[in-house]
């Protein structure tokens, strides 16, 4: 029986010196390095954004937060608005020049002489106004684009630094939505709405002053509609804010459905659930349509309301102005200037409303972005113990308990064991018994809630997470490969330059080198989305190579052979044997073969250690371990028996043709 042929007694010797810093085995096994080193350190020319900290915008009103966000562009923004103010001033001057032309030039003997100068004046004013508007547009666009570029960079970095607890609950589609669509609404706020409000206020103030100068009573009459427009705007602002919030939330739901469908496309296909998924998407898409329709309807209700109000205002103004001109209260020039100026008084009024309403989208989106900013990052460098060099790898758990955030039940209870540097600890137990949870405590993905864990005699919580993670290598239960080349995936965990020889040595040790060479592009083959072009076993072996190159002192292997066939499993186990040499290793497995050589086997059930010892010791006790062993043995022997039978019947089947061969020889 194959199972029995595996050495039961081979126990790894425990040597204190094992964990000490020494030449990485990969290096020592290689001769001189050839070829250009491959650096995984992505040095780009993109400006670093380390000073951009959005935490400072929390806790103030959204508008003030938006203003704080563009901290370094305040001058840009002020100049943009100043330019708009000047542009408004020149626009107003155009109408005053018109007034001067009609009242003081037309009909005078020197009109012919002055005409070209007046024309030049109009052209000059238009050019100045245009130039200033352009300057302001440019500055606003720059501010908007650059500050949202930084916002996006900040969010990207922030999200990847959030805790494991956050990521295990967050919905990817929702996060994508906030980093793209919501950030874009913030960009529009700066590019269009914020400067727009500045422009409107300047136009209104300057033209109103000019009208007051021409005729105070007429000027006051021309803004009679202002309170109504403002009231209507505020009413719609409140309504639109609510609808837009719902619209964005629905869009996020749609993104999540899409993202999950794409990520789980193999499951969808395997269960032929396309129609179900289609219906689900259509339902959410319909929801978005309804919200979008309400949003647009609100806009289309708002426009005619303010248009009618403003149109009436203009008509009344024109009429009263005309009556005044006929009565001789104002000059024809005054009237002409008034008709021009009043357009630039009413237009801002009308647009102020629109901008107030549109601003709601920027504010809502900004709040949604801040929901992410508010989340606490995982403090990577927190910890008062600063170790020098590598850890040795002596680990001790004492009465360790753990429960996930908000869960009442303990996922781990009273876990006590210890291991010396270089030893192998195996974890065995039914699904959901807490094996992955237990090993996740070591790199401090989660912090234990009771008891104490020590590493080399120092409490684990005193080590900075960054240091721990540099010392621990993990081959995960479901390894993830990036859609980059195989080479990039292998060197992913190291920041130093790595030579091609080193990469190949790691791949060889992980029994994947030969397979990689069969790919048309070899190590430059791009791994498909979610590693679809590689089989499960191949993915796992690339992940093992990735961990090999990292050369960690502590190794965690979570079920590394579960998704592969027996032959590949043997290959992987051989690769793991190499990987485990000299490192403190935690191995989680469901098959006895993977754990029987461990120095300590822990059997977990419902978060507690129910059995402990070596393979030989555990076989002597009654309990789960012996049950699993007996069961697996029985299956193995039955399988071998079946194979034998099959081989026998196959030989019989070919016997008639096989027989003549020896005769031919003789
Ligand atoms: N992020 C999480 N938040 C809340 N509960 C969790 C989380 N991850 C796991 N659990 C729960 O903790 C318990 C232990 O899970 P764990 O993943 O450690 O089991 P396991 O022994 O590794 O199982 P398997 O053999 O299937 O991998 C389970 O009941 C699970 O539902
Ligand atoms: Mg697990």
């Amino acid at each position: 029986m194959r199972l029995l042929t595996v050495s039961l007694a081979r126990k790894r010797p425990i040597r204190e010196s094992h964990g000490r810093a020494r030449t990485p085995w990969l290096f020592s096994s290689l001769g001189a390095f050839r070829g250009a080193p491959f650096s995984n350190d992505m040095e780009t020319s993109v400006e670093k954004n380390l000073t951009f900290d959005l935490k400072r915008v929390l806790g103030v009103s959204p508008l003030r937060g938006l203003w704080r966000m563009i901290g370094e562009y305040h001058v840009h923004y002020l100049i943009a608005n100043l330019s708009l103010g000047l542009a408004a001033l020149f626009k107003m001057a155009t109408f005053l020049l018109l007034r001067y032309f009609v009242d003081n030039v037309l009909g005078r003997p020197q009109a012919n002489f002055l005409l070209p100068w007046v024309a030049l004046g109009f052209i000059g004013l238009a050019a100045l106004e245009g130039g200033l508007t352009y300057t302001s547009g440019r500055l606003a666009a720059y501010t908007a684009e650059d500050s949202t570029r930084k916002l996006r960079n900040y969010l990207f970095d922030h999200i990847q630094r959030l805790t494991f607890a956050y990521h295990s609950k967050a919905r990817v589609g929702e996060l994508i939505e906030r980093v793209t669509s919501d950030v874009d609404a913030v960009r529009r706020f700066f590019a269009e709405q914020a400067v727009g409000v500045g422009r409107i206020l300047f136009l209104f103030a300057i033209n109103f002053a000019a009208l007051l100068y021409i005729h105070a009573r007429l000027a006051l009459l021309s803004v009679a509609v202002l309170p109504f427009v403002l009231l209507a705007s505020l009413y719609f602002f409140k309504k639109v804010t609510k609808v837009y919030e719902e619209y964005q939330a629905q869009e996020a739901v749609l993104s999540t459905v899409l993202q999950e469908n794409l990520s789980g496309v193999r499951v969808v296909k395997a269960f032929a659930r396309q129609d179900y998924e289609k219906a689900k998407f259509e339902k959410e898409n319909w929801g978005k349509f309804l919200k979008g329709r309400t949003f647009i309807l609100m806009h289309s209700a708002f426009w005619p309301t303010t248009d009618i109000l403003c149109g009436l205002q203009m008509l009344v103004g024109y009429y009263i102005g005309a009556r005044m001109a006929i009565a001789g209260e104002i000059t024809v020039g005054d009237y002409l200037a008034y008709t021009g100026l009043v357009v630039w008084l009413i237009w801002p009024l009308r647009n102020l409303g629109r901008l107030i309403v549109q601003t709601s989208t920027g504010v809502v989106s900004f709040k949604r972005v801040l929901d992410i900013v508010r989340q606490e990052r995982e403090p990577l460098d927190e910890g008062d113990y600063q170790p020098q060099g590598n850890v040795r790898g002596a680990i001790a758990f004492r009465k360790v308990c753990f429960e996930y955030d908000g869960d009442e039940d303990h996922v781990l209870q009273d876990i006590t064991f210890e291991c010396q540097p270089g030893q192998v600890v195996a974890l065995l137990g039914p699904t959901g018994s807490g094996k992955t949870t237990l090993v996740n405590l070591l790199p401090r993905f989660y912090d234990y809630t009771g008891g104490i864990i020590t590493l080399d005699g120092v409490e684990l919580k005193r080590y900075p997470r960054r240091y721990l993670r540099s010392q621990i290598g993990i081959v995960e239960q479901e390894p993830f490969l990036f859609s980059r080349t195989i080479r990039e995936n292998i060197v992913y965990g190291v920041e130093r330059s790595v030579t091609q020889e080193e990469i190949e040595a790691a791949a060889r040790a992980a029994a994947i080198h030969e397979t990689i060479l069969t790919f048309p592009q070899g190590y430059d083959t791009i791994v498909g989305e979610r590693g679809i072009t590689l089989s499960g076993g191949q993915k796992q072996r690339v992940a093992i190579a990735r961990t090999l190159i990292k050369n960690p002192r502590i190794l965690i292997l979570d079920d590394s052979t579960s998704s592969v066939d027996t032959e590949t499993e043997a290959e992987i186990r051989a690769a793991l044997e190499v990987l485990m040499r000299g490192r403190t290793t935690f191995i989680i497995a469901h098959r006895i073969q993977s754990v029987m050589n461990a120095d300590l086997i822990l059997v977990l059930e419902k978060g507690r250690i129910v059995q402990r010892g070596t393979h030989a010791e555990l076989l002597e006790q009654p309990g789960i371990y012996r049950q699993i062993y007996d069961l697996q043995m029985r299956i193995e022997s039955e399988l071998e028996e079946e194979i034998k039978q099959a081989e026998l019947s196959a030989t019989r089947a070919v016997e008639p043709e096989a027989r003549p061969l020896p005769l031919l020889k003789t």
Side-chain angles (χ1 to χ4, degrees), residues 164-165 168-169 404-405 407 411-412 429-438 446 477 558-559 588 590 604:
F164 268 75
S168 64
K169 295 205 173 86
Y404 283 103
D405 232 13
D407 276 5
V411 175
L412 293 175
T431 180
S433 55
K435 305 179 295 291
T436 303
T437 307
L438 190 150
Y446 295 92
Q477 199 162 1
D558 196 346
D559 236 3
I588 298 176
H590 289 124
L604 265 84

Side-chain angles (χ1 to χ4, degrees), residues 158-177:
H158 183 69
I159 290 172
Q160 64 170 355
R161 286 173 196 277
L162 296 177
T163 58
F164 268 75
Y166 179 82
H167 280 291
S168 64
K169 295 205 173 86
R171 291 186 303 174
V172 178
E174 171 92 39
L175 288 178
I176 291 176
E177 179 69 17

Side-chain angles (χ1 to χ4, degrees), residues 535-565:
S535 71
Q538 289 165 345
K539 255 168 51 179
Q540 244 159 355
R541 280 179 282 167
V542 172
I544 292 173
R546 173 166 72 188
T547 311
L548 273 172
I549 265 202
K550 188 180 168 190
N551 193 30
R553 308 312 313 146
I554 300 170
L555 196 62
I556 296 171
L557 307 169
D558 196 346
D559 236 3
S560 301
T561 55
S562 65
S563 67
V564 294
D565 58 88

Side-chain angles (χ1 to χ4, degrees), residues 230-423:
L230 281 180
L231 278 178
S233 307
L234 287 175
Y235 174 75
F236 278 103
F237 175 78
K238 281 202 179 136
K239 290 238 159 205
V240 167
T241 302
K242 194 166 163 288
V243 173
Y244 180 71
E245 268 170 9
E246 289 170 4
Y247 178 74
Q248 284 298 88
Q250 183 60 26
E251 197 167 281
V253 171
L254 199 67
S255 299
T256 305
V257 173
L258 179 66
Q259 175 265 326
E260 286 202 338
N261 185 275
L262 294 177
S263 309
V265 71
R266 280 177 289 172
V267 182
V268 176
K269 282 178 184 295
F271 287 87
R273 293 292 272 168
Q274 283 92 340
D275 289 340
Y276 170 78
E277 289 292 322
K278 179 173 166 252
K280 195 169 158 194
F281 186 82
E282 279 178 357
K283 179 174 160 263
E284 300 303 345
N285 203 12
W286 177 249
K288 187 183 169 197
F289 164 78
L290 292 180
K291 300 274 183 252
R293 194 178 60 175
T294 316
F295 186 60
I296 301 288
L297 277 178
M298 300 208 68
H299 269 278
S300 40
F302 174 74
W303 280 110
T305 312
T306 48
D307 273 354
I308 290 167
L309 282 173
C310 292
L312 277 175
Q313 169 75 73
M314 278 199 351
L315 271 181
V316 172
Y318 285 159
Y319 178 75
I320 295 174
R323 298 288 307 227
M324 283 172 142
I326 293 164
E329 278 182 61
I330 54 172
T331 64
V332 176
D334 284 342
Y335 183 68
L336 270 182
Y338 171 79
T339 54
L341 285 168
V342 88
V343 171
W344 291 101
L345 191 72
I346 299 292
W347 179 86
L349 266 185
R350 177 176 180 270
N351 279 287
L352 184 66
R354 188 186 73 155
L355 280 178
I356 289 175
V357 171
Q358 282 182 346
T359 300
S360 69
T361 59
V363 170
V364 168
S365 285
F366 187 59
K367 281 198 210 154
R368 286 167 54 85
V369 166
L370 291 189
D371 284 345
I372 300 178
V373 175
R374 204 164 285 122
Q375 300 299 326
E376 282 306 320
R377 292 184 181 195
E378 196 180 25
L380 281 180
D381 296 309
E382 176 203 82
D384 62 0
Y385 182 62
Q386 296 296 334
Q388 301 296 319
N390 290 328
V391 293
R392 290 189 307 120
I395 293 167
F397 277 58
R398 303 230 181 290
K399 295 187 175 302
V400 172
C401 297
F402 176 76
E403 73 264 339
Y404 283 103
D405 232 13
D407 276 5
E408 306 238 315
D409 296 342
H410 280 84
V411 175
L412 293 175
Q413 280 188 73
D414 204 17
I415 304 288
T416 303
F417 70 89
E418 60 184 292
C419 70
Q420 301 306 317
Q423 278 194 323

